[in-house]
Amino acid sequence: MALSIGIVGLPNVGKSTLFNALTNLQVEAANYPFATIEPNVGVVPVPEPRLEVLTRIEKSKKTVPTVIEFKDIAGLVAGAHKGEGLGNQFLSHIREVDAIVEVVRFFKDDNIIHVSNTVDPKRDIETIETELILADLQLVEKKLENLKKSAKSGKHEDIVKAELAQKYFDALAAGLLGSTVSPTEEERKYMYEFPLLTNKPILYVANIKSGESAPENFLTLDAQIESEISQLPENERAPYLKELGLAESGLDKLIRAAYKTLGLMTFFTAGEQETRAWTIHCGNRAPQAAGKIHTDFEKGFIKADTVAYDKFVEAGGWVPARENGWVRSEGKEYVVQDGDVMLFKFNV
């Protein structure tokens, strides 16, 4: 299942322009609020130069990158948690994604209307986060009432859930994100019962124009330039980036930031038939990585032949890597490392 990232922001901050740039899908980017109601979805291959190297070494018939799914979610406005501006639909779309990219407008342009008439990044962030907090507060308040009643029975599980609900309620009522709460190890078992919008990782993207800047905690992009780059033929993009003085595209920057925020990394499978990249969480063990390929692989896991990417390339493939003694046989406790090239062995 692809990693899903929702692009959110107030109307007319450049969300749809950025989405077009990232996915090269020309969705409507109209100059009026609520041009986007249903989320537009684009599935994009994750840039991974190591994949092509492995394909050449193994002379693979097929190359399969891992992908990332972007959802362009309609602009939020004040009162969204009460249904303002079709807010309920928008909030439900945000619940479906793994992470949130919040696009914040820094650029000034008299020809592009700002929903509040003035450009104020701090205010815009507060507007969106307040709506997410209030939506979560409604959910937690209802659950807290029910859990307090059930906790009176003395059942330990219900008491722990009620304590966690109280923590979330106190934080949200104070205007804090759910992610600021620190659950105990026991409370973590029940976090799944609190699908909070404010528990999702948030990446802040500053949409700027040439010569403008943003605070260091923002990933800065010029959505209009990214859109222009995405419309160029593949072989013209790198020279154009160089001409603009950019080391990489906005897509690369955004995906790298998303992987870091979500604690993700890549391992590979490589062979004559296919070379493929797979995304897993940092800290995953070998059986969990095998399970990404097929659930049966995880259930029947025996071991994984493993070699680091650099050693695989230096050797020039599986056979010479084995001859050099660089292929390790790893068991169930092995923590997979970024770039590992793996071959799983399992019982059917």
Side-chain angles (χ1 to χ4, degrees):
M1 200 171 162
L3 168 68
S4 178
I5 294 182
I7 303 176
V8 305
L10 295 178
N12 299 340
V13 297
K15 289 185 307 81
S16 294
T17 304
L18 176 60
F19 178 80
N20 290 345
L22 292 170
T23 64
N24 208 15
L25 298 176
Q26 298 307 305
V27 300
E28 186 174 14
N31 182 25
Y32 55 88
F34 315 122
T36 314
I37 297 175
E38 290 300 319
N40 295 290
V41 179
V43 178
V44 182
V46 174
E48 178 50 83
R50 294 176 294 184
L51 192 60
E52 295 302 326
V53 176
L54 294 173
T55 295
R56 287 197 301 271
I57 290 172
E58 286 297 299
K59 298 181 175 61
S60 306
K61 295 176 182 176
K62 187 178 178 184
T63 305
V64 184
T66 188
V67 296
I68 191 166
E69 181 182 81
F70 288 102
K71 291 187 177 182
D72 178 25
I73 298 172
L76 286 173
V77 295
H81 72 286
K82 296 185 292 186
E84 295 290 336
L86 302 175
N88 291 332
Q89 290 182 51
F90 304 159
L91 291 169
S92 69
H93 294 147
I94 296 173
R95 291 192 192 282
E96 297 169 359
V97 300
D98 299 305
I100 297 169
V101 165
E102 186 173 331
V103 181
V104 184
R105 177 174 168 177
F106 276 71
F107 71 89
K108 293 183 174 67
D109 188 332
D110 293 338
N111 295 317
I112 301 178
I113 304 161
H114 189 289
V115 72
S116 300
N117 297 319
T118 57
V119 175
D120 184 339
K122 186 173 183 292
R123 177 204 59 209
D124 291 356
I125 289 173
E126 288 174 353
T127 297
I128 288 180
E129 292 189 351
T130 296
E131 292 308 315
L132 300 181
I133 287 168
L134 290 173
D136 281 348
L137 190 58
Q138 289 179 342
L139 182 149
V140 170
E141 192 170 16
K142 290 175 184 175
K143 287 187 73 74
L144 180 58
E145 288 176 13
N146 293 331
L147 287 168
K148 278 182 175 178
K149 291 175 185 175
S150 56
K152 289 178 180 177
S153 67
K155 188 178 178 182
H156 182 68
E157 180 180 311
D158 291 338
I159 293 171
V160 174
K161 289 180 184 178
E163 288 171 349
L164 178 57
Q166 187 67 58
K167 284 183 180 180
Y168 277 132
F169 179 83
D170 292 343
L172 295 164
L176 301 174
L177 302 178
S179 57
T180 62
V181 170
S182 299
T184 64
E185 190 172 337
E186 192 171 20
E187 288 168 348
R188 284 185 181 280
K189 299 174 187 175
Y190 305 107
M191 284 178 66
Y192 70 92
E193 293 201 15
F194 299 88
L196 304 185
L197 299 169
T198 59
N199 257 346
K200 295 181 184 293
I202 301 177
L203 292 170
Y204 297 95
V205 172
N207 189 6
I208 63 172
K209 296 298 180 187
S210 180
E212 296 177 336
S213 60
E216 287 186 4
N217 61 320
F218 284 83
L219 188 154
T220 57
L221 295 170
D222 183 332
Q224 191 57 48
I225 285 181
E226 293 296 336
S227 185
E228 291 169 10
I229 293 169
S230 72
Q231 293 172 43
L232 292 172
E234 190 73 37
N235 63 341
E236 294 181 18
R237 293 179 188 176
Y240 188 53
L241 283 168
K242 189 175 181 181
E243 186 181 321
L244 294 171
L246 299 174
E248 58 185 340
S249 72
L251 172 60
D252 290 355
K253 287 171 68 174
L254 191 51
I255 289 180
R256 252 191 323 107
Y259 268 51
K260 183 177 179 181
T261 300
L262 290 167
L264 300 173
M265 66 179 190
T266 304
F267 78 91
F268 304 96
T269 52
E272 182 184 344
Q273 294 301 315
E274 176 186 280
T275 290
R276 183 187 288 245
W278 304 87
T279 299
I280 58 172
H281 284 89
C282 297
N284 277 176
R285 299 184 187 277
Q288 292 171 292
K292 283 290 179 181
I293 299 173
H294 198 288
T295 52
D296 287 347
F297 284 26
E298 182 172 5
K299 292 173 186 174
F301 178 88
I302 300 173
K303 64 177 182 176
D305 288 350
T306 306
V307 57
Y309 169 80
D310 289 344
K311 288 296 184 183
F312 192 91
V313 174
E314 184 181 341
W318 278 112
V319 174
R322 291 184 194 282
E323 290 172 351
N324 289 338
W326 292 342
V327 178
R328 311 181 309 273
S329 180
E330 301 289 1
K332 293 182 178 180
E333 296 305 309
Y334 175 67
V335 177
V336 180
Q337 302 299 303
D338 182 66
D340 276 351
V341 185
M342 308 184 79
L343 176 64
F344 297 102
K345 299 185 178 179
F346 62 96
N347 285 319
V348 178

